[in-house]
Every structure is written in structure tokens, then in C-alpha cells.
Amino acid sequence: MEKENLNRLATLSHPQRNAVFRLLMRRYPDELPAGEIAEALQLKPSTASTYLAALIDAALITQRRVGTSLLYRVQMDTVQTLFSFLFHECCQGRPDLCPPFFQNPSLGEAKMMDRKFNVLFICTGNSARSIFAESILSEVAGDRFTVFSAGIKPNSGLNPFVIKMLNNKGYDTAHLRSKHVSEFQTESAPALDFVFTVCDQAANEDCPVWQGQTLTAHWSTKDPTKAVGTDAEKALAFQTTYGALRACIEAFAALPIQSLDRISLQNAMDRIGQNTPDGDQ
């Protein structure tokens, strides 16, 4: 077992293999096609395939064929074994040398305190999907959540289809604006309890780790701003995305957050993302 774990560490010591592994860790429990991995990391397809093969050989990731696509996902039991090896074998289990989670192994069993929670939704431009999500959760359960949204590459303004649709549905849009995610990574920013990415590009970004005990999840939704055709066809694309996000958010708002331990809550949030519908509200 020690030799296998040392071989896995050697595999991960290669910077670009490590980048592929970190991307798949960020997207767990999602399965990603090779093309998306190559595009996200700006790798040639042949190069990405070589790195993926090495990670498979080390049993760090799995490969599954669906139709003509090969999908990749972290093999979490192996990764957990590797983490355990580093802590127990290399650090001798010393709490003064281990990361915070190992210092407090019951953290995953802890429950959220009964209070109002801060939630951040992130997409690429913060002009459509994350704006929809911010508005929906504020309307569905604004008494329980303080809701924000941001983008990794925010646009200068909000998409006009979004504003028109929200106004037609009775939402207050006067306070909405496009902003950069860095606004929520300063010392004066509100402590975030939940962070959701609602587009694949944002989820694939290697962002700084959120401070504190933030729970994160990815809810993949189609980008309506890329819709082509008539205004009616574009409006339908925005309506579909709105519906998908509303279904996810209603499922999240219905969770008994205070009665679930953090691991159960994380699993529930992941399941919502795995079952993201096309939506039709």
C-alpha cells in the first residue's frame, strides 16, 4: 500500500497531471468529457489523453464510456486512502501537523446553526444565470438566506432578456448589478455559508479556497446568452434556464438544513446538481 501511495504522489507531482486532477476534484461528483478537460486547461487533446491515462493507471480517476464520449471522475475512495496515508503515516497522526479538518474530524458531523445563511451564486459573466439564481432564492426563501451573485469575468451590464423576464414575473431588479467574485474574497466580505457555481466555466476555474466552513456545489445549467434565432427563440432559452435554476433552488430551500450534518447536507446539494432538470417554469 505504501508503494502504491508513493506512486500516486509521484503521478501528482507533475504540474499538468496535477492540474487535471485538481480540476476533476473541483468538479466532483461530476463526470467530465475529455474535450471539456482539455479546453478548460488549454491542453491539446492528445496531451490531455496522456495525462488522463496516467491518472487512471494510478487509480486516482475512473473512465466511463457513454456513447461516443469518454467521461472522467475522481476515484474518491483511492483519494481518501491517499489523504489518510499522508496524515497517519507521514505526520504520525499528530494534530499539530495536520490540516484543520483532521484536527477536528467531527467537523463533517456538525450541524449548521439556526440563523440566516449567506449564499453566493457564481457564473461567468454575472449577467444571466447567477442573476436568475440570486433573484429566485431571494424570492423563495429570502427570510432564511441573504443572497448574492458574482462572475469570474463579469459583464458591464445585465442581459436585457434577464431583466425583462424578471420584471414580467414581478421581481424587483433595481438592486441587481454585475460584479466580480473578488468582492466576496476580501476580509470585509460577508462570511459565506454556501457557494454555488451555475455554469461549467466558473466551476472549472481554479479559484482561491473560501475561508471558513463554506459548503460548495455545482449546478450545471445551459448558457441562455448563447441562444441564436428570433427573439422568441432566445426568450425560450432564458425561460428554460430560469426553470432549471428554480427547480434546483426550490429543492435546496426545502432541505432541513439545521437538522442535517454537514456531510449529509453536502451530499444533498450534490444530488440536486446531479439531477438538474431542463426546466420549464
Side-chain angles (χ1 to χ4, degrees), residues 136-204:
I136 294 167
L137 183 56
S138 296
E139 185 264 327
V140 168
D143 58 329
R144 297 168 51 214
F145 302 98
T146 301
V147 193
F148 310 95
S149 69
I152 57 173
K153 298 177 182 177
N155 295 322
S156 57
L158 304 182
N159 189 284
F161 279 95
V162 170
I163 297 301
K164 181 178 180 180
M165 181 176 295
L166 290 175
N167 285 335
N168 288 341
K169 293 179 181 293
Y171 288 92
D172 176 13
T173 61
H175 66 288
L176 297 175
R177 65 181 178 90
S178 185
K179 48 202 171 294
H180 196 275
V181 70
S182 60
E183 289 191 22
F184 299 91
Q185 295 170 331
T186 64
E187 291 185 1
S188 60
L192 297 171
D193 299 292
F194 301 96
V195 173
F196 297 97
T197 49
V198 292
C199 80
D200 293 344
Q201 185 175 348
N204 290 341

Side-chain angles (χ1 to χ4, degrees), residues 104 107 110-112 192-194 210-215 262:
N104 183 10
L107 178 62
K111 295 180 181 179
M112 304 288 279
L192 297 171
D193 299 292
F194 301 96
W210 299 101
Q211 298 302 312
Q213 300 179 16
T214 307
L215 289 174
R262 295 176 65 84

Side-chain angles (χ1 to χ4, degrees), residues 10-11 30 70 83 102 118 176 181 188 199 209 220 223 245 271:
T11 299
D30 291 349
L70 291 174
F83 291 164
F102 288 112
N118 291 327
L176 297 175
V181 70
S188 60
C199 80
V209 176
S220 180
D223 185 358
L245 285 167
R271 282 195 298 272

Side-chain angles (χ1 to χ4, degrees), residues 32-229:
L32 298 191
E36 182 176 341
I37 295 169
E39 181 180 0
L41 298 175
Q42 299 182 330
L43 299 172
K44 294 180 179 179
S46 58
T47 303
S49 295
T50 299
Y51 297 150
L52 289 165
L55 293 169
I56 290 171
D57 287 343
L60 290 165
I61 67 173
T62 61
Q63 179 192 79
R64 184 169 71 96
R65 179 176 290 278
V66 177
T68 59
S69 298
L70 291 174
L71 302 180
Y72 298 88
R73 181 168 67 177
V74 165
Q75 188 160 313
M76 191 53 69
D77 56 346
T78 301
V79 173
Q80 290 173 335
T81 298
L82 179 60
F83 291 164
S84 180
F85 165 75
L86 287 171
F87 174 51
H88 292 290
E89 298 297 330
C90 298
C91 300
Q92 298 291 310
R94 287 179 47 174
D96 58 325
L97 300 180
C98 66
F101 185 86
F102 288 112
Q103 291 175 15
N104 183 10
S106 64
L107 178 62
E109 300 174 1
K111 295 180 181 179
M112 304 288 279
M113 295 177 62
D114 187 7
R115 55 182 172 78
K116 196 169 186 178
F117 302 109
N118 291 327
V119 181
L120 175 65
F121 291 101
I122 303 174
C123 69
T124 305
N126 192 210
S127 67
R129 285 168 287 184
S130 55
I131 294 293
F132 273 155
E134 176 184 357
S135 301
I136 294 167
L137 183 56
S138 296
E139 185 264 327
V140 168
D143 58 329
R144 297 168 51 214
F145 302 98
T146 301
V147 193
F148 310 95
S149 69
I152 57 173
K153 298 177 182 177
N155 295 322
S156 57
L158 304 182
N159 189 284
F161 279 95
V162 170
I163 297 301
K164 181 178 180 180
M165 181 176 295
L166 290 175
N167 285 335
N168 288 341
K169 293 179 181 293
Y171 288 92
D172 176 13
T173 61
H175 66 288
L176 297 175
R177 65 181 178 90
S178 185
K179 48 202 171 294
H180 196 275
V181 70
S182 60
E183 289 191 22
F184 299 91
Q185 295 170 331
T186 64
E187 291 185 1
S188 60
L192 297 171
D193 299 292
F194 301 96
V195 173
F196 297 97
T197 49
V198 292
C199 80
D200 293 344
Q201 185 175 348
N204 290 341
E205 284 286 315
D206 191 2
C207 296
V209 176
W210 299 101
Q211 298 302 312
Q213 300 179 16
T214 307
L215 289 174
T216 65
H218 176 54
W219 297 342
S220 180
T221 50
K222 294 179 182 179
D223 185 358
T225 67
K226 294 183 178 179
V228 296

Side-chain angles (χ1 to χ4, degrees), residues 228-240:
V228 296
T230 66
D231 282 355
E233 290 169 328
K234 292 177 181 178
L236 178 60
F238 280 88
Q239 182 68 45
T240 299

